Amino acid sequence: MINVKNKEFISAFGGNLKKIRNEAGLSQEDLANDADIPLSQVGRIERGEVNTTISTVYVLAKALKVKITHLFEFQ
């Protein structure tokens, strides 16, 4: 990871995204298609390998049909 200030937070976000995606019954591929982002990006976010952008968080929440804040409810 490059320029990540808090690796634990990034990893926790990714783990929460994976949990929400699984609860929605979606594969990574389904989520990537619905959010119109690369499949590899979903995997990198879920593994905590990247510090994702606000615009990506927005499209992920929209694709999952949840409030953006729900993606950050892991602490």
Side-chain angles (χ1 to χ4, degrees), residues 52-75:
T52 193
T53 65
I54 293 169
S55 59
T56 299
V57 171
Y58 172 78
V59 296
L60 289 169
K62 191 171 177 181
L64 290 164
K65 299 177 177 73
V66 298
K67 291 182 179 183
I68 291 172
T69 55
H70 187 52
L71 295 176
F72 292 94
E73 292 174 355
F74 52 85
Q75 292 191 337

Side-chain angles (χ1 to χ4, degrees), residues 9-74:
F9 185 84
I10 302 301
S11 292
F13 178 86
N16 193 47
L17 175 63
K18 183 176 182 176
K19 179 179 81 73
I20 294 168
R21 176 182 58 76
N22 286 329
E23 288 171 352
L26 297 174
S27 67
Q28 285 186 347
E29 185 174 9
D30 293 332
L31 179 56
N33 288 335
D34 292 348
D36 195 27
I37 62 173
L39 172 59
S40 60
Q41 184 72 356
V42 174
R44 287 191 301 266
I45 295 168
E46 288 187 356
R47 290 189 300 275
E49 295 175 355
V50 295
N51 188 1
T52 193
T53 65
I54 293 169
S55 59
T56 299
V57 171
Y58 172 78
V59 296
L60 289 169
K62 191 171 177 181
L64 290 164
K65 299 177 177 73
V66 298
K67 291 182 179 183
I68 291 172
T69 55
H70 187 52
L71 295 176
F72 292 94
E73 292 174 355
F74 52 85

